């Protein structure tokens, strides 16, 4: 540690730290624009000039390392004069259009100009004008004349995003920030450049000119999409969510947000929001009141159970519901005598359920991913499934992490990848078996999985060696792996790899509350049917909560067919969707996360509670209240709750969340044989993961939400004669779509996106598929 002095205050600072970092450690503010604690040092704005004793001129605090005995003055006459001079230079060409600037009220340039600049400028020359740029539907760059060339956005896309989509061209007064080659910015975390921009050059296109910052109320919340549970600041005006910003939490999302978390709020204000209960009779939908709708539900459930038994009823609940809602849903089902309840609509293999020792989770804190020496990610399109986990791993891979991947495609992760194995979905367990066999040979010991027929490739040996050498290692399964028809085998082999290597094992929860659904038991028990069985053997009544099966189910066509034949379908939903309108009989409007109190359990088992930030829209009610009333109307015991906190207290009374999460299997069983077939790779696009995202116009205008195209492996594409379009046949349906080659895709595979209106008629997401020339 080095002893230094800043403005007369003595302190110690670690070797290699800068004056800026030392000043921040004692709460001393130094004005700056280009410096950011998460980005590399650029030292190009010069606003942080300070006086250092014995130095002949002011030095930039962000780029000056501390030395033993250094004395720094941040408010001396030399420092103030230097800072005022820099500010005067910065404002030479700035348009000074504060009255119309969308950044007004939260502009760093504005604040520092008042605090550290001069009262007037000596420059009267004509200001330069810079044309606006097109950066896509999310980020507005219409006012680039305001840019002060701090290069925060440039460094962010390169260092955090992994690909320099934004750069600075030319020099001197001709410098411009612009996207490369006229392309738009497509990063899954692009919206963070809006927060980083210290002036009004880069702003939110959906939010632009909608309101002023000082008119907004700021409230804390938690992201409702992926399993990370990013912390949010939701900004509200007149009972409407206007903007979402990151709430800094180093343990979870650091200071970043994914575009999905940042811009999906538009869906909360969609015209498709369901505002009143609706009942279908005579083939038409009619608005009704809550009492009538709830009595209709009670009559339907009682009628089906009386005529066909409790097993004829199935409960399907979305994993983006709050923990309290999921707890009450499973309590309602079981109190009513129904064992058929599941949140795993997107899965197809449930054969390991009887071997599970607890709920699936990450198995370690999210922050510890950055400290690993070796990590094997299995079956994950990481950048779309977990954008901020990908960003965290990208930083770790620059340092000491050896990141390896076993996946169905050689996707560009925009980070250093140490080893990779690419295999078709049905052969993913076989590929993992190669790694396991190599590990057993390196580490010794044995495994219950039969590896006699497995031949180890050089790539598998490299991955195994990295896991064997690492002091801190882990194996994690992504969302794609969790949906595979051989998930149980993939899970068992992956867990064995972790055990033999001495590392941790976990699952990257795909939904905001997958771990919460596991913890509260929103799963079939006592012989109950899982989600796939409820569709394969159709029920007479379905109770849907916060899910649209045509988008969320593994086999969309099969799910819709089962729902259409049912005697009654009850849907607790936020949106009046076309699918629900087709097969449901009653729609009950429930509140999204922004309009209700509740909690989510993220992938590391952390329970994060939040309150509603706006009042429920129209006649919308929080789902926990709807479930409570249904429990009372069905004359069930234990539904006398007065608040979401009461529900949470009851579910936690049975034990902590962490005590219910355990990835262990009672025994390792796996089929590691290889199979040849033409198989679909039916991933869910990053902006189609839930109803809120699907109803957010700006997200749906991005290229990530474009109409699906059949992306074929090189061998399959060549065998068809490299067609421009093809007929995709699956599940008794044919869909015509464009075709392209995906050189990184495993042989015999075709990528056809799921959860798209264009592909709903097709079958299982990772089932066999037939491709014909169009």
């Amino acid at each position: 540690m080095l002893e230094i002095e800043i403005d007369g205050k003595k302190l110690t600072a670690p070797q290699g730290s800068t004056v800026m970092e030392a000043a921040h450690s004692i709460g001393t503010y130094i004005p700056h624009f280009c410096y950011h604690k998460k980005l590399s040092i650029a030292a190009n704005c010069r606003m942080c000039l300070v006086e250092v004793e014995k130095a002949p001129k002011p030095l930039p605090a962000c780029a000056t390392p501390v030395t033993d005995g250094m004395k720094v003055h941040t408010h001396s006459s030399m420092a103030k004069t230097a800072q005022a001079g820099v500010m005067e230079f910065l404002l030479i060409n700035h348009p000074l259009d504060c009255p119309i600037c969308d950044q007004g009220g939260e502009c760093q340039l504005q604040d520092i100009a008042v605090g550290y600049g001069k009262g007037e400028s000596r420059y009267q020359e004509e200001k330069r004008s810079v044309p606006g740029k097109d950066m896509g539907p999310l980020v507005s760059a219409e006012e680039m004349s305001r840019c002060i060339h701090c290069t925060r956005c440039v460094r962010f896309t390169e260092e955090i995003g992994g690909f320099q989509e934004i750069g600075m061209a030319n020099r001197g007064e001709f410098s411009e920030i612009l996207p490369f080659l006229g392309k738009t910015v497509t990063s899954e975390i692009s919206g963070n450049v809006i927060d980083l921009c210290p002036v009004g050059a880069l702003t939110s296109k959906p939010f632009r000119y909608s309101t002023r910052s000082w008119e907004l109320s700021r409230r804390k919340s938690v992201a409702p999409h992926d399993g990370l549970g990013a912390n949010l600041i939701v900004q509200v005006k007149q009972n409407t969510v206007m903007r979402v910003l990151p709430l800094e939490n180093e343990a979870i999302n650091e200071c970043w947000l994914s575009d999905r978390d940042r811009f999906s709020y538009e869906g909360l204000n969609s015209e498709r929001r369901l505002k009143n209960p609706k009942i279908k009779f005579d083939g038409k939908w009619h608005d009704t009141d809550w009492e009538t709708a709830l009595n209709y539900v009670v009559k339907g459930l009682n009628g089906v159970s009386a005529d066909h038994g409790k097993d004829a009823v199935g409960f399907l609940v979305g994993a983006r519901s709050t923990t309290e809602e999921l707890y009450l849903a499973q309590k309602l089902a079981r109190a009513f005598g129904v064992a058929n309840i599941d949140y795993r609509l997107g899965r197809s293999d449930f054969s390991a359920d009887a071997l599970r020792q607890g709920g699936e989770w990450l198995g370690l804190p999210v922050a510890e991913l950055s400290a690993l020496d070796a990590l094997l990610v299995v079956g994950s399109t990481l950048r779309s499934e977990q954008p901020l986990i990908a960003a965290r791993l990208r930083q770790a891979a620059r340092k000491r992490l050896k990141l390896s991947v076993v996946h169905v495609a050689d996707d560009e992760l925009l980070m250093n990848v140490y080893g990779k194995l690419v295999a078709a979905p049905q052969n993913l367990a076989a590929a993992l078996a190669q790694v396991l066999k190599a590990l057993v040979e390196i580490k010794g010991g044995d495994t219950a999985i039969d590896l006699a027929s497995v031949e180890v490739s050089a790539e598998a040996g490299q991955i195994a060696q990295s896991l064997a050498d690492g002091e801190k290692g882990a194996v994690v399964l992504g969302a794609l792996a969790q949906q595979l028809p051989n998930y149980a085998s993939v899970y068992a082999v992956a867990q064995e790899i972790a055990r033999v290597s001495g590392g941790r094992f976990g699952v990257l929860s795909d939904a905001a509350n997958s771990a919460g659904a596991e913890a509260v038991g929103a799963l079939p028990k006592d012989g109950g049917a899982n989600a796939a069985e409820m569709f394969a053997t159709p029920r007479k009544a379905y109770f849907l909560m916060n899910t649209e099966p045509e988008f969320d189910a593994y086999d969309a066509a099969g799910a819709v067919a089962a729902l259409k034949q049912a005697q009654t379908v009850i849907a607790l939903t936020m949106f009046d969707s076309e699918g629900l309108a087709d097969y449901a009989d009653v729609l009950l409007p429930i509140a999204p996360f922004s309009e209700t109190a509740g909690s989510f359990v993220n992938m590391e088992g952390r329970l994060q509670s939040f309150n509603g930030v706006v009042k429920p829209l129209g006649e919308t009610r929080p789902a926990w209240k709807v479930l409570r009333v249904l429990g009372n109307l069905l004359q069930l015991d234990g539904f006398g709750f007065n608040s979401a906190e009461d529900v949470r207290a009851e579910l936690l009374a049975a034990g902590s969340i962490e005590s219910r999460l355990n990835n262990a299997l009672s025994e390792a069983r796996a089929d590691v044989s290889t199979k040849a077939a033409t198989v679909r790779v039916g991933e869910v696009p990053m902006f189609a993961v839930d109803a809120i995202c699907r109803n957010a116009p700006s997200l749906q205008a991005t290229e990530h939400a474009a109409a699906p195209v059949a992306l074929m492996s090189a061998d399959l594409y060549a065998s068809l004669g490299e067609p421009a379009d093809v007929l995709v046949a699956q599940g008794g349906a044919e869909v015509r779509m464009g075709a392209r080659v995906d050189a990184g895709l495993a042989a015999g595979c075709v990528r056809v996106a799921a959860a798209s209106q264009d592909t709903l008629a097709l079958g299982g997401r990772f089932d066999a598929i037939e491709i014909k020339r169009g």
Side-chain angles (χ1 to χ4, degrees):
M1 299 293 283
L2 305 175
E3 292 187 0
I4 67 170
E5 184 179 299
I6 298 179
D7 293 339
K9 297 179 182 177
K10 293 185 178 181
L11 67 147
T12 58
Q15 184 80 37
S17 61
T18 64
V19 172
M20 180 74 80
E21 292 167 338
H24 282 181
S25 71
I26 60 171
T28 298
Y29 177 73
I30 298 175
H32 59 275
F33 293 113
C34 68
Y35 171 79
H36 191 278
K37 64 181 180 180
K38 294 289 184 179
L39 303 177
S40 62
I41 295 171
N44 54 10
C45 78
R46 318 307 284 185
M47 193 63 222
C48 64
L49 292 174
V50 295
E51 180 183 356
V52 178
E53 287 192 8
K54 299 182 181 179
K57 60 182 180 179
L59 299 177
C62 70
T64 303
V66 297
T67 58
D68 203 30
M70 174 186 279
K71 292 186 178 180
V72 179
H73 303 282
T74 67
H75 293 87
S76 66
S77 177
M78 178 190 285
K80 287 184 175 180
T81 300
Q83 292 163 1
V86 169
M87 178 55 68
E88 190 174 16
F89 281 128
L90 288 175
L91 294 178
I92 289 174
N93 281 309
H94 196 78
L96 301 178
D97 55 351
C98 298
I100 64 160
C101 179
D102 204 46
Q103 194 95 332
E106 52 188 10
C107 175
Q108 200 173 343
L109 180 68
Q110 197 175 58
D111 295 341
I112 292 178
V114 172
Y116 296 88
K118 296 181 179 180
E120 59 183 18
S121 173
R122 293 172 290 174
Y123 294 90
Q124 303 300 321
E125 288 77 11
E126 183 178 347
K127 294 178 182 289
R128 77 166 188 162
S129 177
V130 180
K133 309 295 187 294
D134 179 16
M135 291 193 181
L138 304 179
V139 179
S140 173
E142 293 297 318
E143 308 292 345
M144 293 308 292
S145 296
R146 299 170 183 163
C147 178
I148 61 171
H149 309 122
C150 71
T151 69
R152 279 183 175 182
C153 57
V154 176
R155 285 174 284 147
F156 173 82
T157 58
E158 180 180 10
E159 298 167 15
I160 309 300
F163 178 66
Q164 195 177 32
E165 294 182 284
I166 301 174
M168 186 162 72
N170 307 319
R171 295 174 63 85
E173 65 176 313
F174 302 105
S175 297
E176 286 188 55
I177 299 291
L178 70 170
F180 282 124
L181 303 176
K183 294 184 177 181
T184 58
V185 178
T186 61
S187 169
E188 64 278 6
I189 53 176
S190 66
N192 290 289
V193 300
I194 298 167
D195 301 332
L196 290 171
C197 184
V199 297
L202 301 179
T203 55
S204 169
K205 190 168 282 188
F207 175 75
R208 183 173 163 84
Y209 296 141
S210 60
T211 188
R212 289 294 195 176
S213 63
W214 56 81
E215 299 176 311
L216 299 170
S217 300
R218 293 160 174 80
R219 291 151 193 178
K220 298 178 182 179
S221 193
V222 179
H225 306 299
D226 59 53
L228 179 63
N231 289 196
L232 312 177
I233 296 175
V234 181
Q235 300 190 327
V236 175
K237 178 184 177 183
Q238 295 177 352
N239 205 48
T240 302
V241 175
M242 303 297 293
R243 184 168 60 169
V244 170
L245 299 176
L247 176 61
E248 185 171 348
N249 187 332
E250 280 296 319
I252 300 177
N253 57 299
E254 301 176 270
C255 57
W256 313 123
L257 272 190
S258 68
D259 288 352
R260 184 165 57 202
D261 294 337
R262 181 184 299 271
F263 297 106
S264 62
Y265 73 88
E266 287 186 300
L268 302 173
N269 308 321
S270 169
E271 293 181 357
R272 299 184 70 178
R273 281 287 304 275
L274 181 65
K275 301 180 182 66
N276 300 289
K278 289 187 174 183
I279 293 176
K280 184 192 291 183
F281 58 88
D282 296 333
K284 296 182 180 179
W285 284 101
H286 302 270
D287 287 345
T288 187
D289 58 76
W290 272 102
E291 183 178 2
T292 302
L294 290 172
N295 285 329
Y296 183 95
V297 170
V298 170
K299 183 179 178 181
L301 290 175
N302 283 329
V304 169
S305 62
D307 295 341
H308 305 282
K310 304 292 186 182
D311 192 52
V313 180
F315 278 64
L316 295 164
V317 294
R320 291 171 178 86
S321 306
T322 68
T323 315
E324 294 76 11
E325 292 163 358
L326 290 166
Y327 174 76
L328 282 186
Q330 64 85 30
K331 183 175 181 176
L332 178 71
R334 293 191 165 93
F336 189 62
V338 174
N340 310 323
I341 179 169
D342 208 348
Y343 79 93
R344 301 167 297 175
L345 281 78
R347 294 199 188 176
S348 57
D349 183 10
F350 302 86
S351 59
D353 280 8
L355 306 176
R356 296 173 57 182
Q357 303 296 296
E360 295 176 355
W361 68 305
L362 182 59
L364 71 161
V366 168
E368 286 189 17
L369 291 171
S370 303
L372 294 175
D373 300 314
L375 175 65
L376 174 58
V377 179
V378 181
S380 175
T381 309
L382 197 59
R383 288 174 54 203
S384 63
E385 291 175 14
Q386 304 289 347
L388 295 182
I389 294 290
R392 186 182 283 273
L393 294 177
R394 188 171 294 120
Q395 303 310 303
R398 288 185 168 203
K399 300 172 184 175
R400 69 185 213 177
L401 172 65
K402 291 182 178 179
L403 175 72
S404 299
V405 175
V406 176
H407 192 38
V408 300
D410 184 9
D411 289 331
E412 180 52 73
L413 297 180
L414 303 178
M415 66 181 81
N416 298 327
V417 176
Y418 181 77
K420 64 180 69 170
L421 265 179
V422 176
Q426 72 274 21
N427 296 326
L428 214 58
L432 284 174
Q434 295 182 41
V435 179
L436 177 58
K437 187 168 185 177
L439 258 176
V440 171
E441 293 171 354
I442 295 169
K443 301 280 285 187
D446 56 9
T447 175
I449 296 174
D450 183 5
L451 302 175
S453 62
V454 175
E455 295 184 8
V456 179
S457 64
E459 294 84 356
Q462 184 179 9
I463 294 171
Q465 192 66 57
S466 71
L467 292 169
D469 293 343
E471 293 182 8
K472 296 180 179 178
V475 181
V476 296
L477 302 180
L480 184 146
Q482 295 167 46
Q483 298 175 34
L484 295 178
N486 62 338
Y487 175 50
S489 292
V490 171
Y491 189 104
V493 180
Q495 188 167 71
E496 279 291 276
I497 291 173
R499 183 188 65 80
V500 174
S501 66
R504 313 282 283 275
F505 173 71
V507 173
L508 293 167
S509 305
D510 63 330
N513 214 12
S514 295
E518 294 272 347
V520 303
L523 299 160
K525 296 178 182 177
D526 304 321
N530 57 51
E533 291 169 338
M534 284 187 242
F535 292 133
T537 306
R539 310 289 139 164
K540 293 297 182 180
Y542 288 95
F543 186 98
L544 310 177
M545 183 178 78
N546 202 12
T547 182
E548 296 173 357
E550 67 272 24
F551 293 107
D552 299 336
Y554 177 83
D555 180 351
V560 171
L563 290 162
K564 283 186 174 181
Q565 64 76 47
Q567 185 174 316
T568 184
V569 176
I570 300 150
L572 279 64
T573 177
M574 293 178 276
F575 296 93
D576 189 359
S577 71
E578 293 178 8
L580 290 172
D582 183 29
Y583 55 72
D585 297 289
V586 56
L587 301 178
L588 305 179
I590 58 171
F593 78 105
S594 57
E595 298 171 17
T596 183
S599 63
F600 294 137
V601 178
N602 76 350
M603 64 176 70
E604 66 181 8
R606 184 191 297 249
L607 187 143
Q608 300 186 101
S609 60
F610 52 87
N611 292 312
V613 299
V614 293
K615 295 177 182 177
L617 184 67
E619 291 298 310
T620 295
R621 297 289 184 269
W624 71 265
K625 288 187 176 181
V626 178
L627 294 166
R628 176 196 64 183
V629 175
L630 283 174
N632 292 325
L633 291 175
L634 289 167
Q635 299 181 344
L636 306 175
D637 294 332
F639 285 85
F641 302 104
N642 294 315
S643 67
E645 289 75 16
D646 289 347
V647 182
R648 193 181 313 143
E650 180 175 295
L651 73 89
L652 292 176
S656 67
I657 295 295
E658 294 85 351
S659 66
R660 310 178 199 189
L661 301 175
N662 185 345
N663 291 318
L665 297 178
S666 58
E667 61 178 288
R669 300 179 191 167
D671 175 5
V672 295
S673 61
T674 58
K675 302 173 181 65
T678 301
V679 175
R680 176 185 179 186
V681 176
E683 300 144 298
V684 177
M686 74 169 80
F687 298 147
V689 295
D690 56 48
I692 297 177
C693 288
R694 292 191 289 265
N695 284 281
S698 295
L699 292 182
Q700 297 309 310
T702 65
E703 69 173 37
H704 300 293
V709 172
L711 300 173
M712 288 178 279
S713 59
D715 64 312
L716 187 57
Y717 191 61
S719 70
L720 291 172
E722 302 183 356
D725 57 88
V726 292
L727 283 174
V728 178
Q730 191 187 37
E734 283 189 347
V735 176
R736 183 183 298 275
M737 60 178 60
R740 292 203 305 266
V741 66
D742 183 342
L745 198 58
C749 294
V750 55
R751 266 180 160 151
V752 178
S756 167
Q757 197 70 44
D758 297 331
T759 60
L760 295 184
L762 299 177
R765 294 176 179 178
F766 296 90
D767 290 349
I769 196 168
E770 185 181 357
I771 308 295
K772 310 172 187 176
R773 284 189 66 94

